[in-house]
Amino acid sequence: MSTAAEGSPPSATLRRVRVRVDGTVQGVGYRPFVYRVAAELGLAGWVLNDERGVLVEAEGAAGAIETFIVRLRADAPPLADVSGVETEDIPTSGEPGFQIVASERGGGATAPVTADSATCEDCLAELADPADRRHRYPFLNCTNCGPRFTIVRGIPYDRPATTMADFVMCDACQAEYDDPGDRRFHAQPNACPACGPRVRLLERDGAEVEGDDPLRTAAQDLLDGRILAVKGLGGYHLACRADDETAVAELRRRKHREDRPFALLVADVEAARGLVTLGEREVELLVSRARPIVLARRLPEAPVAESVAPRAPDLGVMLPYTPLHQLLAADTGVALVMTSGNVSDEPIAYDDGDARERLDHIADRFLVHDRPIATRTDDSVVRVVRDRPLLMRRSRGYTPAPLELPIASPRQLLGVGAEQKNAFCVAKDARAWPSHHIGDIKNYETLTSLRDGVAHFEALFEVAPEVVAHDLHPDYLSTRYAQEREGVELVGVQHHHAHLAATLAEHGETGPAVGAIYDGTGLGSDGTIWGGEILVGGLADFERAGRLAGVWLPGGEGAIREPWRMACSWLTQMREPLPAAFEPIAQQRWNMVARMVMTGVGATSTSSAGRLFDAVAAMCGVRLEVSYEGQAAVEFEALADPGAAEPYPFELQPIAPVIMNPQPAIRALLADLAAGVPVSVISARFHAGLARVTVEACTLAAQRAGTDLTLLSGGVFQNRLLLELTSAGLQDAGLRVLVPERLPPNDGQIALGQVAVAAARLADA
Ligand code: ZN
Ligand code: ZN
Ligand code: FE
């Protein structure tokens, strides 16, 4: 024992520290938590939110200070995510007591705004308690739950910077807000029936429906088969009861939403179990704070109208994530369709005036409230694959949580994403903030959404992009938007390289890795349309190590909507006669496409895996035409026999770049069709064959590149069967396999990839 310590025992020594806490620590009850811990330990000092996070000064017995520092991380409140605690000793001041100091502005900001969080157990108990002053109040929340990202207009995260700014707290709410011992201490959206937002039920013409409980009336409307527009957290939904075919079919007709499945809201896990098969992982996701839509296999006996999800094997189910949804689900006691408030591919409506205009011809009545929505945010969508979550859409509940880039950027960045399933991403140093889902930017409205979203993120995270990364495709509106930005440097990133880089980045890897990137279409470095790629590379650059054999893509967009064209392309190339499935296609149309393929006029060459799926699905008669991209492939996958299947033979031409030729597989498929083999078997054999050749090609490329790291991404890998077979095969070959988990494998990950590539290149330069 050292003699220095003997003179004064540590517990008696007075010590003062300044502690910097980084991470998600604002708007999550962190300051009251610090206050309570300091009070318990008898410490003096203060805590405040600043632009970076939380700053604390604490003074007291040295032993208590030690404990305090440990507890700042170990006992943090449920919504907090502490990424760093830096401590510095400073002179003692002898001040009495511990205080929470009001927020101050100034300095560089990286203070995180958190994601919206589902209603907590304590709040749910109050909601259901007739004696509570917030009984049935649809906007109750506390520091452990409630709206965040969707109501935030700026930073620091305090009430004046949210859409709650105009609601003045009543005395009771203010007392909770000011009391460090209260669950609502500094809960920015704190509200009650006396002072907070109100819900109203309106007729189409704007007249308020009479009655003292608009929610009960709305619930009765739904039970009666009416279609309601419901203003939720990130936008308007359209709702009706899910077991009423007349109501659902009418909603589908009014919405022009041809075949896309509608999501369902149910009161609890038990109700969800009445609709779909749920494993442990699915349940975890359903009850998680993010409350995404979880896609799961529908039960044959599920009491759900045919029009909810025509021909789809899965249903998308979610649990209530706000008190308003909680009350609607409980009051109706039935599964409700809860689908985006929009017409076909438009963005979800979130502004009150706009919603009234756009949804006027769809909804019978409007269930609205007077708390504005700051940012349009769709529901997130997830499915479980390989016992891990696979996000199909990352938005409400997840955004704006940041990710760490494996290579920090010397300059501030913006990635504008691709065209479909657009999301953007801003980055500073090693931090990247992938945005909420913006949508398909094919029109002015979604482009505006992208512009507004970028401006909001720039303000929120104080990022001023100096470098803007974009897709190589010159016609994407996202690319044009990048080019319109003034005073910035542009970096073009190849689409499939962005998929690879995004997957590496979210796993904190830099490569080199072999990536099988399978998607619909993306412009290649050689000017042709890629989409069945074996790439080798890291964050900064890549090589095309292999691909699917090329075929003509007849008629661009037309080929996506009409999968029979891709079948025609392959069959014409192979000089195969027409299978029976194509009888509904007029000979004249078929000949026209065949001529395109033979001459190459009006056609581009493509290696797209998505289009190959379209072709074989069409050959099997699954779908000759579709109403959304990938529909034929989704249905083809759903038909697959779950048991082991003999893989169809793909030819592998091993000289680099390796070519995976599906022709022998297609021949075998045609023979099976002719022999009357069921489509379930054909589908299983096709999946097995494509997975096998992908594993072979990746193994070869990995050997050549001297790496054991592989990854799978691109929209085609939303296909559970293909993803499972391929990743299992790669693992059996002794390779490591990365799969996107925190961002989707589809184009929702492109912006993160663009940012990761730009950061790596700038760091290299
Ligand atoms: Zn709560
Ligand atoms: Zn109040
Ligand atoms: Fe893509």
Side-chain angles (χ1 to χ4, degrees):
M1 185 171 285
S2 81
T3 47
E6 269 171 47
S8 53
S11 60
T13 311
L14 206 58
R15 185 181 168 197
R16 186 176 182 91
V17 285
R18 178 174 294 154
V19 189
R20 158 66 63 194
V21 186
D22 284 315
T24 303
V25 287
Q26 293 190 1
V28 293
Y30 198 82
R31 286 175 303 170
F33 151 74
V34 172
Y35 177 93
R36 281 194 302 272
V37 175
E40 274 173 39
L41 296 170
L43 302 178
W46 47 259
V47 55
L48 60 79
N49 274 352
D50 65 8
E51 309 293 331
R52 189 170 145 192
V54 163
L55 191 65
V56 190
E57 283 193 17
E59 179 170 330
I65 292 285
E66 279 303 319
T67 309
F68 179 69
I69 294 166
V70 170
R71 290 187 61 186
L72 284 181
R73 191 194 275 270
D75 295 347
L79 294 186
D81 180 11
V82 176
S83 64
V85 177
E86 283 167 35
T87 311
E88 170 195 3
D89 275 273
I90 54 172
T92 55
S93 78
E95 74 186 307
F98 198 93
Q99 292 174 49
I100 293 176
V101 179
S103 298
E104 46 176 49
R105 279 199 70 95
T110 53
V113 172
T114 57
D116 301 272
S117 173
T119 318
C120 73
E121 292 298 324
D122 291 333
C123 285
L124 285 178
E126 292 170 348
L127 188 69
D129 177 6
D132 194 276
R133 70 190 187 91
R134 291 188 179 85
H135 178 230
R136 290 185 59 80
Y137 181 56
F139 303 96
L140 93 167
N141 63 82
C142 73
T143 38
N144 299 324
C145 75
R148 298 288 188 275
F149 175 67
T150 52
I151 61 164
V152 167
R153 289 190 162 134
I155 52 162
Y157 175 68
D158 265 343
R159 194 167 175 113
T162 71
T163 61
M164 286 297 291
D166 292 342
F167 296 94
V168 178
M169 274 183 272
C170 67
D171 291 348
C173 285
Q174 188 69 49
E176 295 165 336
Y177 184 90
D178 292 334
D179 175 5
D182 196 278
R183 200 172 90 246
R184 297 195 165 88
F185 178 63
H186 285 201
Q188 306 306 344
N190 188 25
C192 78
C195 67
R198 272 163 221 268
V199 69
R200 293 188 305 155
L201 184 63
L202 305 179
E203 301 285 5
R204 274 181 173 175
D205 64 8
E208 191 163 347
V209 177
E210 300 279 326
D212 40 314
D213 192 338
L215 272 162
R216 282 204 204 279
T217 316
Q220 191 56 52
D221 279 352
L222 289 167
L223 288 175
D224 293 344
R226 281 201 165 99
I227 296 168
L228 294 191
V230 178
K231 183 179 179 184
L233 194 54
Y236 277 73
H237 280 103
L238 289 158
C240 71
R241 60 186 294 171
D243 59 357
D244 182 339
E245 175 59 24
T246 314
V248 183
E250 181 60 16
L251 173 57
R252 203 169 268 291
R253 194 187 63 75
R254 291 185 195 170
K255 211 170 128 73
H256 305 300
R257 176 112 177 165
E258 295 102 341
D259 285 337
R260 267 181 221 254
F262 288 147
L264 302 176
L265 174 77
V266 291
D268 51 34
V269 173
E270 275 328 293
R273 283 193 201 282
L275 303 177
V276 289
T277 308
L278 295 175
E280 211 176 303
R281 285 281 179 191
E282 277 97 354
V283 172
E284 269 172 34
L285 287 162
L286 272 179
V287 303
S288 69
R289 291 175 182 282
R291 295 282 159 104
I293 295 170
V294 177
L295 296 180
R297 195 52 56 127
R298 76 193 288 169
L299 295 172
E301 69 276 18
V304 162
E306 179 52 35
S307 292
V308 166
R311 297 175 67 169
D314 291 346
L315 289 175
V317 179
M318 65 179 155
L319 299 190
Y321 49 91
T322 74
L324 187 148
H325 294 98
Q326 182 72 35
L327 293 168
L328 269 187
D331 288 357
T332 54
V334 296
L336 297 173
V337 164
M338 200 49 79
T339 183
S340 304
N342 57 8
V343 179
S344 57
D345 288 333
E346 290 173 1
I348 183 172
Y350 74 113
D351 172 81
D352 295 326
D354 174 56
R356 292 289 300 286
E357 219 169 275
R358 280 164 61 197
L359 306 182
D360 179 59
H361 61 291
I362 305 181
D364 297 316
R365 281 178 167 177
F366 287 74
L367 184 65
V368 301
H369 59 77
D370 52 357
R371 187 181 73 203
I373 296 168
T375 301
R376 175 203 321 263
T377 317
D378 295 82
D379 294 317
S380 297
V381 183
V382 67
R383 94 195 278 196
V384 174
V385 180
R386 301 155 72 236
D387 204 36
R388 304 289 304 161
L390 186 75
L391 279 168
M392 321 285 261
R393 185 201 288 153
R394 178 185 182 272
S395 212
R396 177 190 51 74
Y398 296 96
T399 321
L403 297 172
E404 293 296 313
L405 292 174
I407 298 180
S409 177
R411 296 166 76 189
Q412 303 196 11
L413 300 175
L414 165 66
V416 295
E419 181 177 63
Q420 288 182 314
K421 301 184 165 66
N422 180 274
F424 61 89
C425 182
V426 296
K428 184 160 75 170
D429 305 321
R431 287 227 140 173
W433 290 271
S435 81
H436 49 299
H437 169 82
I438 301 291
D440 294 349
I441 9 178
K442 289 184 174 161
N443 54 47
Y444 178 76
E445 180 146 36
T446 27
L447 182 60
T448 304
S449 212
L450 171 66
R451 275 206 185 97
D452 294 351
V454 170
H456 187 49
F457 270 54
E458 285 172 343
L460 222 49
F461 304 111
E462 295 199 12
V463 178
E466 306 159 85
V467 177
V468 178
H470 60 84
D471 199 275
L472 294 184
H473 204 302
D475 299 334
Y476 284 179
L477 288 180
S478 60
T479 306
R480 300 228 185 116
Y481 163 71
Q483 287 162 345
E484 279 165 19
R485 287 188 63 114
E486 286 177 10
V488 297
E489 191 179 308
L490 294 178
V491 174
V493 178
Q494 199 279 323
H495 187 91
H496 303 92
H497 183 211
H499 275 299
L500 176 132
T503 311
L504 282 174
E506 70 152 279
H507 289 281
E509 300 270 358
T510 56
V514 174
I517 313 294
Y518 291 177
D519 66 0
T521 46
L523 186 60
S525 323
D526 60 0
T528 68
I529 304 291
W530 294 8
E533 311 306 309
I534 308 292
L535 305 184
V536 174
L539 297 179
D541 41 38
F542 76 100
E543 258 173 53
R544 195 186 196 192
R547 60 175 173 86
L548 277 172
V551 67
W552 291 110
L553 178 73
E557 287 286 302
I560 294 173
R561 281 192 308 273
E562 299 180 2
W564 68 266
R565 289 180 184 233
M566 286 312 300
C568 177
S569 185
W570 278 105
L571 295 174
T572 307
Q573 188 193 62
M574 294 166 62
R575 306 190 189 289
E576 287 284 344
L578 257 73
F582 296 100
E583 269 155 26
I585 304 294
Q587 189 70 42
Q588 204 187 344
R589 294 177 74 202
W590 182 274
N591 290 345
M592 189 193 74
V593 171
R595 206 159 36 241
M596 247 192 239
V597 172
M598 283 185 287
T599 61
V601 175
T604 343
S605 176
T606 185
S607 54
S608 166
R611 296 293 85 77
L612 175 63
F613 264 99
D614 283 354
V616 296
M619 287 175 202
C620 295
V622 173
R623 280 272 168 189
L624 300 183
E625 303 187 355
V626 295
S627 61
Y628 60 91
E629 184 176 6
Q631 185 180 11
V634 166
E635 291 175 10
F636 185 62
E637 177 201 351
L639 289 167
D641 211 311
E646 173 65 20
Y648 281 142
F650 281 68
E651 186 196 327
L652 186 74
Q653 183 270 97
I655 302 157
V658 300
I659 308 289
M660 300 171 284
N661 188 351
Q663 285 198 10
I666 294 175
R667 282 213 177 83
L669 177 150
L670 293 173
D672 272 357
L673 271 179
V677 173
V679 176
S680 58
V681 174
I682 293 177
S683 173
R685 295 191 66 188
F686 181 80
H687 280 85
L690 182 58
R692 188 171 72 177
V693 75
T694 304
V695 170
E696 286 168 3
C698 287
T699 309
L700 207 53
Q703 280 164 4
R704 286 175 183 160
T707 178
D708 70 342
L709 186 61
T710 65
L711 60 88
L712 303 173
S713 195
V716 167
F717 281 109
Q718 292 172 110
N719 181 316
R720 172 164 29 198
L721 181 57
L722 184 68
L723 183 56
E724 281 173 351
L725 291 172
T726 313
S727 60
L730 290 169
Q731 275 163 342
D732 290 347
L735 298 164
R736 281 204 295 147
V737 190
L738 304 178
V739 169
E741 284 178 18
R742 301 174 67 187
L743 259 61
N746 59 41
D747 286 1
Q749 74 171 170
I750 290 289
L752 174 69
Q754 291 169 342
V755 154
V757 169
R761 288 189 189 159
L762 291 166
D764 258 4

